[in-house]
Amino acid sequence: IMNVAVRLFLLEQLKRNNSKCRRAFRVMQADHAEEVLKRGLVEPNDFALQCNAFLDKMKHSSSFDLVKSIKKFISSFIDAAKNPMPIEHRIAQVQAFLQETAAAIAKHSLWRGQNAEEMEITTEALERYVMHKIHKAAYSPNREDDQRKDCEFAYKVRSLRFVTPEHLDIKHGEHNEIAFRLASEQLAQLSTYRSPRDKVTCIMNCCTVVCNLLNDDRDGAVRGADDLLPILILVIIRAQPQTWWSDIRFIQRFRNPQKLSSEAGYYLTQMVVDDCSFSFFVRRLVVLVRWERLRFLRKRMLLLSI
């Protein structure tokens, strides 16, 4: 009610040509637009608080065998990572251990009686805890190859900083710098998190902002991947990720496959097409780079010929 009253007051002042109120009204409009775009965002650190219940139970004396098993796996995985090993074998090790431990937890007296939602949180907390501990060993197993691809990708994205919404045929009604900034900020956080779930949350948040932008467009058109992808391209260019390849591969390798078969999986496929390619959008935009350079050279030649 207070918010409505303030708006009505500002509108009345606008009619009187009050410059201070015009500025205040613009700020309020921008804040409201940002609130709309942030609807549905999930803070990864909020899930860390939910994990505290899992960690508290793990401190109980009756969970000694579970804790011992988890610590043993973490230690053995880190030690094994020092030696050459096929990445497929490491992935299988992690997934098998998480499934076995989740089944053991479900039968344990401390967790018995949990409903499906509570058990899902427990399973997610287990994955988050284990992946935090083995992150250094699991994050980039093919280190030299992954780092090379990260550098190549970062270089290509830097070369695309000139790209504007017009280059990507983004509709004028979808030119929203607040949305582009918010979505880019979500992607920029990707490398700061250590678990696959938290990294997926950053991607989900980015796509949620873009979807909120598309849904807020009033033309009534049905939105699909063709509308989503160009804006994601622009957002990734604005975010300038430095470890994109490693982060995406880490998610693909170690995130629970069942969790990537829903909305999260759909958004992830918008970022990468297959295991052998960097991303669809890089190949598409490299053409733009060449075109811009060609146009620049043509202008120079025309100037020299005058």
Side-chain angles (χ1 to χ4, degrees):
I1 296 171
M2 182 64 181
N3 214 358
V4 173
V6 170
R7 289 190 183 197
L8 290 172
F9 171 76
L10 289 173
L11 284 170
E12 183 62 32
Q13 294 301 312
L14 284 173
K15 293 176 183 177
R16 300 177 184 178
N17 201 26
N18 189 316
S19 60
K20 288 184 179 179
C21 284
R22 279 202 302 274
R23 286 195 296 271
F25 189 70
R26 282 197 294 269
V27 169
M28 182 173 286
Q29 281 184 315
D31 289 344
H32 175 69
E34 190 164 326
E35 287 175 14
V36 170
L37 292 166
K38 283 183 174 180
R39 285 174 186 166
L41 296 194
V42 178
E43 175 57 50
N45 289 329
D46 289 346
F47 182 69
L49 298 175
Q50 291 181 299
C51 292
N52 288 340
F54 168 76
L55 296 175
D56 288 341
K57 288 184 178 181
M58 293 298 282
K59 295 174 185 177
H60 197 277
S61 58
S62 63
S63 64
F64 175 81
D65 290 338
L66 275 174
V67 174
K68 184 179 177 181
S69 172
I70 293 170
K71 286 184 175 180
K72 182 180 178 181
F73 172 79
I74 291 169
S75 179
S76 64
F77 186 91
I78 292 172
D79 289 340
K82 297 173 184 176
N83 303 312
M85 182 191 302
I87 181 59
E88 292 77 12
H89 182 60
R90 295 185 190 183
I91 296 169
Q93 274 187 323
V94 173
Q95 296 299 340
F97 174 76
L98 291 174
Q99 288 177 13
E100 291 169 6
T101 306
I105 287 174
K107 297 175 183 177
H108 198 282
S109 59
L110 287 175
W111 286 273
R112 196 175 297 143
Q114 282 192 332
N115 59 38
E117 184 179 353
E118 291 169 336
M119 195 62 220
E120 184 177 354
I121 292 173
T122 298
T123 304
E124 294 277 39
L126 170 66
E127 180 191 275
R128 188 176 188 274
Y129 176 80
V130 171
M131 294 312 302
H132 262 255
K133 295 297 183 181
I134 66 172
H135 177 266
K136 190 174 181 180
Y139 178 66
S140 186
N142 302 324
R143 190 155 188 80
E144 290 184 7
D145 186 50
D146 287 347
Q147 284 185 335
R148 177 180 60 80
K149 290 176 179 178
D150 281 335
C151 290
E152 288 176 2
F153 187 87
Y155 173 76
K156 289 178 179 178
V157 172
R158 279 198 302 274
S159 70
L160 299 170
R161 283 179 294 186
F162 71 89
V163 171
T164 64
E166 288 77 13
H167 282 124
L168 298 169
D169 297 326
I170 296 173
K171 297 173 184 176
H172 183 71
E174 295 162 5
H175 290 199
N176 188 317
E177 287 299 324
I178 296 175
F180 300 155
R181 174 180 58 79
L182 288 173
S184 298
E185 287 172 354
Q186 293 299 323
L187 278 192
Q189 296 178 40
L190 198 62
S191 61
T192 65
Y193 292 102
R194 297 165 65 90
S195 77
R197 183 192 187 280
D198 291 343
K199 290 180 183 293
V200 168
T201 299
C202 292
I203 291 176
M204 289 284 290
N205 283 345
C206 168
C207 294
T208 297
V209 171
V210 175
C211 288
N212 286 342
L213 169 63
L214 293 173
N215 292 334
D216 195 46
D217 193 2
R218 311 284 185 195
D219 64 4
V222 177
R223 305 305 185 187
D226 290 342
D227 300 292
L228 180 67
L229 186 59
I231 300 178
L232 287 181
I233 291 171
L234 186 67
V235 165
I236 295 172
I237 293 170
R238 298 277 183 96
Q240 292 288 305
Q242 300 301 304
T243 55
W244 180 260
W245 174 264
S246 294
D247 285 327
I248 295 297
R249 295 295 282 145
F250 181 64
I251 293 169
Q252 291 175 324
R253 287 165 177 161
F254 294 105
R255 180 62 173 144
N256 184 339
Q258 294 179 348
K259 301 298 181 182
L260 293 179
S261 60
S262 56
E263 188 179 18
Y266 169 75
Y267 287 142
L268 191 62
T269 58
Q270 297 302 308
M271 304 291 185
V272 287
V273 176
D274 55 55
D275 292 345
C276 300
S277 64
F278 283 112
S279 281
F280 168 74
F281 79 83
V282 168
R283 295 198 302 274
R284 176 180 170 180
L285 288 180
V286 164
V287 176
L288 276 176
V289 174
R290 291 170 182 164
W291 172 251
E292 286 292 321
R293 286 176 179 169
L294 181 61
R295 192 165 64 174
F296 174 72
L297 288 172
R298 283 178 176 171
K299 283 183 179 179
R300 287 192 64 182
M301 289 174 69
L302 285 171
L303 288 172
L304 290 171
S305 64
I306 295 173

